[in-house]
Amino acid sequence: MVSSGLFVNLCIFSFFVSIMIAIRIFLLQRLAHKYKWMSGIYASIVSAILMVYSVTYQQITYDLRFLPLILTVLYFGYRAGAVAGITMAVCSIYLESHWLLTILILIFTFLFSLPLIRYRKQFSLLKQSLLCFFIHFIVHVLLTNYFWNTPIQSPFYSEVEYLVFGILGLGIAVATIEFYRKFYAVAEEAAYAGSDSCKDEEDSFFIRIMKKELEYTKEQLESFINHHMDAVIITDLEGRILRVNEAYEKVYGWKAHEVIGKKYYDIAGAFSEDVHENIKKTVAEKEAINRVEVVRARKDGSLVDLRITISPIFNGKDELVGLSGVCVDISEAKKAKQELDLLHRKLKESELKYRTLFEYANDAIYLLEIGSNHFPSRFIEVNEAGCKRFGYTREELLSMPCHHIIPRDSDIVQKTVEEIRQGNLSFTLQSQFTFKSGEIKKLEYSGKLFNIENKKVLLIVSRDRTEYLKTEELLQKSEKLAAVGQLATAIAHEIRNPLTAIKGFMQLLTEKASKEELTYMNIISSEIERIEMITDEFMSVAKPQAVTFQSIDLRLLIQQVILLLQPQATMKNIFIELHSYGELPLVYCESNQMKQVFINILKNAIEAMPSGGEIKVELRQKDNNHLHIQIIDEGVGISKDRIKHLGEPFYSIKEDGIGLGLMICFNIIQQHKGTLSIESEVNKGTNVEICLPLK
């Protein structure tokens, strides 16, 4: 039933299209182009007739009333289409009960078809008509079946029938009209060619065809220039501006009427020298200058970076008649390139710093790939210190499996694998390892686990702690011995005083004692002598041991001590800085004892700075005979009433201290005939100054 009704509509629509062409041929001639609103009224009359012969199926009305409206918009513009639409809406109010649905479909079809105005020249009339009808069909289906209150939904096949008859009707109408237009144009040209006015010019028919082709080409050229996204400038051979596009106005800030007729040199201002040279070169060589990067001034005086291409323009006789320039704004691209170059430079600098830190680090650094079993499989990278420690070259280490260098059953591997299996991403361990040379070293190493290209990688920083542990052990022994010696001295001193008194009284009693009493007196005297002998043995413990003095570089010795204590300082966020002023002479001293002095003082400074900070160690020669060392920290400081007790046996300001460290330092400096002084202020830090003789 829907098909039969739509077929009647199609026949009526085709008939009135033919009537319209007949009216234009025999009655109106060019009247339709001058009075487009008449075309709109005619289209609305045809739509009203199609409404009368519409077909209703399941309370939905089907007809081809919108086809005349679409043709009116395409051939006579949106103004004529608006006239036809308004008139059709009025007719719908009088002829239909569901007139509101028709008006809504009309409005939304008109609104959604507006974007075609900008791009209509890119499509043929047939394609334009089909696009418009397809937009109308979508609006019709959505409003009729989904947004309009109908008790029964229209079946799918009825909508398909409406789509097919609509496409068929538009195809017939557009084909008929276009055939008529082309036939009329050919007939008009033929009539003009056979007229008397054309007999004097044999080629006038072809000239008119050429003029039309030229006009068409000119339209295309105008469209190309106006819609080009880059600035386009056309000048004569002297550089006088003939034409610019909208993009030129945006780039330079000049309006077209402000620059046309002026020479480009004047517009370029201070940058006219290269403009003149480029124009002269193009005119002389008659070849294009491609992609020249220049700087130009805008109207407001700001600068813009451009990439310019200058091309020659020739006439039909191959004569150079003008120049065209295309200017591409590359300011953002150039800025992005500068930022990218800066980023690359920073990356290179960062990489250089990394390589320097990696290659010249005193600690051994390894980058290991971790296998699926959590064991290290191979070396990815290793620094020079790591190569020396294992006794292989870098190429050998990178080419060998990891277990050929470090056995899997070794303590160092087992501890590392255990940390990885527990899910620890970073850890610090200590272990002992026997190297290829047979040397046994005690190592402290830190590990960091992360991913590179979906592979587990372990970064290991390993430090040799063998000498440090030996020094620490010797230091502990030294402190114990010093404590025993100080204790022995104190005990011996306290025992000798009463012994002296006892011996004196024993001598007095011996003179008056009887023979029997004298026997007892001799026994007591022998025991007193025995006590004195034991006391002397106690005193010998506190006597200085034999030491070997030699000339040493004190700056190098302090550097070794700083290196020894650096891990402890780093853990507390403390930076130890060494400064030496001028060329320092060698100092005649005992290196181990001096090392013990600096270790004790620096450890005290580190422990006095729980919040981190900086420790300065300064060396300078104040006169020809003495070298001064200052150790300055930013710690909690020491009150004045406590400073005077520093260096006394068993006196300490630390909770867990035993009060022997500074006592040992004072004794060693005294044995070297030097001085040690301490200045401090609470919450501002401590300054320890040591003065040593050079000879």
Side-chain angles (χ1 to χ4, degrees), residues 635-651:
V636 295
I638 308 170
S639 61
K640 292 183 179 179
D641 58 335
R642 288 192 169 194
I643 290 180
K644 59 185 179 181
H645 295 292
L646 295 178
E648 293 180 0
F650 304 105
Y651 181 84

Side-chain angles (χ1 to χ4, degrees), residues 146-272:
Y146 297 99
F147 298 102
W148 193 254
N149 188 17
T150 55
I152 303 175
Q153 297 294 330
S154 177
F156 174 73
Y157 63 83
S158 62
E159 304 294 351
V160 174
E161 290 176 359
Y162 177 58
L163 176 64
V164 172
F165 275 95
I167 293 174
L168 184 60
L170 283 175
I172 293 173
V174 173
T176 304
I177 295 172
E178 288 300 306
F179 176 78
Y180 157 72
R181 289 178 65 188
K182 291 183 180 180
F183 179 79
Y184 181 80
V186 172
E188 191 178 30
E189 292 293 340
Y192 180 80
S195 64
D196 294 336
S197 61
C198 201
K199 292 180 180 178
D200 296 332
E201 300 178 8
E202 296 180 357
D203 298 330
S204 61
F205 177 74
F206 298 102
I207 290 174
R208 293 188 65 190
I209 294 177
M210 289 178 64
K211 285 183 178 180
K212 285 195 173 184
E213 291 293 334
L214 288 174
E215 289 177 359
Y216 177 71
T217 304
K218 183 180 178 181
E219 289 179 359
Q220 287 185 321
L221 181 60
E222 290 287 335
S223 177
F224 169 76
I225 294 175
N226 290 332
H227 295 91
H228 202 289
M229 62 182 297
D230 300 320
V232 178
I233 312 169
I234 298 178
T235 69
D236 59 16
L237 298 180
E238 296 179 356
R240 190 175 290 104
I241 299 176
L242 303 177
R243 177 68 187 276
V244 296
N245 65 347
E246 293 180 3
Y248 174 89
E249 297 178 353
K250 294 180 181 178
V251 172
Y252 285 89
W254 297 91
K255 296 296 182 182
H257 66 272
E258 294 176 326
V259 297
I260 290 177
K262 294 183 179 180
K263 289 189 176 181
Y264 189 66
Y265 321 131
D266 301 331
I267 303 300
F271 302 92
S272 61

